[in-house]
Amino acid sequence: MKKIFTFCFLSATIIAAVAQSSAAQDDPGSYMNSITNAQMDMNKTYMAYISASAHSSRKRKIEKLREQTVDNIVIAQNNINNLSPYKGDNSLRQSSVGYVQLCYKIFNDDYAHIVNMEDIAERSYDEMQAYLLLQQATNDTLEMAISRMKKAEQTFAAKYNVTLVDEKTELGDKMEQADRMGKYRDKVYLLFYKCNWEDGQMIEAQNQKNVTKVEQDRNALDKYAIEGLAVLDTMKSFDNDGSLVNACRQALTFYKTEAETQVPGLTDFFLKEENFNKLKAAMDAKSDSQRTQQDVDSYNKAVTDLNNGVNTFNQINNDLNNGRNNANQTWEATEKNFMDIHTPYYK
């Protein structure tokens, strides 16, 4: 199951003031820096949480870092609340407070809902897609809030003759890298998951010997695999790393081959077994005197077909299990390695 990543970005703008007064209330640049610094402290613990989520398997450590992120959001909110409006102008302060309150809602209140969705997501492709879309919607909400915040900064700076300088920071670069990686990974993951889930449905139908359901799932699996492979053909590597796409392609190629060439052999056996059971029931219902030569010949042929089909069925089933395990294990190992490599380390 995928790990939860809800990316939050704060403005990386460095603020240079025209006035050089040391008092924040007298210097609009210092006033803006007070707000930026409060937000930056919040961001640092958040990036540490993202890093631990990708690189550590210690759930208690990860949860502790999330709680620290929530605590730092509260601290940032308090620090900004303690600022007075700049010369009676509360626009920038209020925009920042609104943004930080949104961060608190997401990381404290909405987090539980996202975790619950994670458990539900494995039930179907649609629910998994809804789970990822929920995360994306959260990101979109944050990005809109950031846009409003930046607009408030620009308006405030223009009003008080403050020069805004966009400058790259290590923290900003790492958060941007983590966001790019997460979006890329989710796009590939959905292609894999759609086929993987459909394959599971087909296996369940096979266990029930439901030939009609097997055929429905087989056709759907073939369709999803073909569509997924077409999408993968259009995807570029991520920072010159094509491992995730290649692992997904390997899995989808297996699913396509499974659906098109191997599963029909299994359904053929189920049909032979069904035919044998019908003939056997009919034979058992008749006395020896009632059985015709045609009955006997049909029954014996069904026995031969069934016996011959057993070895073929077992071989196909064994090949599928080996191929499925190999494809899934390769995907899981590659995905873990991909996230480990491309999620920046931050403490």
Side-chain angles (χ1 to χ4, degrees):
M1 181 61 202
K2 81 186 292 294
K3 296 182 188 228
I4 293 177
F5 289 97
T6 306
F7 296 101
C8 167
F9 288 92
L10 299 180
S11 174
T13 301
I14 302 300
I15 300 174
V18 175
Q20 297 298 322
S21 171
S22 59
Q25 276 294 81
D26 295 331
D27 180 355
S30 296
Y31 185 83
M32 295 184 78
N33 273 324
S34 297
I35 293 175
T36 299
N37 291 337
Q39 295 175 341
M40 195 60 67
D41 290 340
M42 178 177 72
N43 240 12
K44 288 177 181 178
T45 53
Y46 173 67
M47 188 61 222
Y49 161 67
I50 289 297
S51 178
S53 296
H55 302 301
S56 175
S57 59
R58 294 167 57 190
K59 293 183 179 180
R60 292 181 63 183
K61 174 184 177 181
I62 295 169
E63 177 58 18
K64 183 177 180 180
L65 284 170
R66 188 192 69 82
E67 291 172 352
Q68 288 177 0
T69 301
V70 173
D71 290 342
N72 272 26
I73 292 173
V74 174
I75 292 172
Q77 181 174 322
N78 290 337
N79 288 339
I80 296 168
N81 276 329
N82 288 334
L83 289 174
S84 300
Y86 182 76
K87 295 183 177 180
D89 185 347
N90 198 36
S91 59
L92 182 63
R93 174 181 168 277
Q94 192 57 46
S95 292
S96 181
V97 168
Y99 175 67
V100 174
Q101 285 176 341
L102 176 62
C103 289
Y104 179 84
K105 179 179 183 299
I106 288 171
F107 288 104
N108 191 65
D109 301 340
D110 293 355
Y111 181 81
H113 180 56
I114 293 176
V115 170
N116 289 336
M117 279 290 294
E118 182 183 24
D119 294 333
I120 294 170
E122 296 207 1
R123 297 177 188 173
S124 74
Y125 169 77
D126 289 341
E127 286 167 323
M128 174 58 72
Q129 188 176 45
Y131 165 74
L132 296 180
L133 288 174
L134 172 63
Q135 293 187 77
Q136 185 57 53
T138 301
N139 291 343
D140 292 344
T141 300
L142 285 168
E143 287 174 3
M144 286 189 290
I146 291 168
S147 295
R148 290 193 296 269
M149 183 69 200
K150 287 185 175 180
K151 185 176 180 180
E153 287 177 344
Q154 292 164 357
T155 300
F156 184 92
K159 183 176 180 179
Y160 297 104
N161 298 316
V162 177
T163 300
L164 300 182
V165 180
D166 289 325
E167 184 175 299
K168 288 285 188 179
T169 65
E170 179 186 4
L171 178 60
D173 288 344
K174 287 186 175 183
M175 294 188 77
E176 182 180 357
Q177 166 76 4
D179 179 64
R180 287 197 308 114
M181 184 281 297
K183 290 177 179 176
Y184 184 92
R185 179 265 179 197
D186 283 353
K187 183 176 181 179
V188 181
Y189 177 78
L190 267 180
L191 299 176
F192 168 80
Y193 182 83
K194 193 171 190 177
C195 290
N196 180 265
W197 184 83
E198 194 64 49
D199 181 56
Q201 294 297 106
M202 187 172 63
I203 291 173
E204 184 177 338
Q206 289 171 5
N207 291 336
Q208 297 171 354
K209 298 182 180 180
N210 186 336
V211 175
T212 300
K213 183 68 164 55
V214 170
E215 279 299 294
Q216 290 174 346
D217 292 332
R218 182 183 74 83
N219 290 329
L221 179 60
D222 189 37
K223 176 176 179 289
Y224 296 155
I226 292 172
E227 291 174 349
L229 288 168
V231 173
L232 291 174
D233 287 341
T234 68
M235 292 189 67
K236 297 180 180 179
S237 60
F238 183 86
D239 292 347
N240 296 317
D241 183 353
S243 62
L244 195 67
V245 165
N246 290 336
C248 187
R249 181 179 289 110
Q250 177 183 331
L252 267 57
T253 298
F254 161 76
Y255 290 130
K256 181 175 180 292
T257 301
E258 175 189 27
E260 293 180 352
T261 67
Q262 294 179 293
V263 173
L266 300 181
T267 54
D268 180 64
F269 175 78
F270 292 145
L271 291 173
K272 288 178 179 177
E273 186 178 44
E274 183 180 350
N275 181 56
F276 169 77
N277 289 334
K278 288 180 180 179
L279 289 173
K280 185 177 185 304
M283 287 287 284
D284 291 344
K286 295 180 180 180
S287 63
D288 290 343
S289 61
Q290 291 175 317
R291 296 171 183 170
T292 65
Q293 187 60 44
Q294 183 179 358
D295 291 335
V296 174
D297 291 343
S298 296
Y299 178 80
N300 288 337
K301 182 179 184 304
V303 171
T304 301
D305 289 343
L306 186 64
N307 288 336
N308 291 338
V310 169
N311 291 333
T312 301
F313 177 89
N314 288 338
Q315 184 61 55
I316 293 174
N317 214 27
N318 185 61
D319 291 344
L320 284 176
N321 287 334
N322 290 335
R324 183 180 294 111
N325 289 337
N326 182 57
N328 290 343
Q329 288 172 8
T330 298
W331 164 262
E332 290 172 3
T334 303
E335 180 195 33
K336 182 178 183 300
N337 188 59
F338 180 86
M339 294 177 68
D340 191 49
I341 291 173
H342 295 291
T343 302
Y345 283 85
Y346 193 84
K347 293 184 179 180

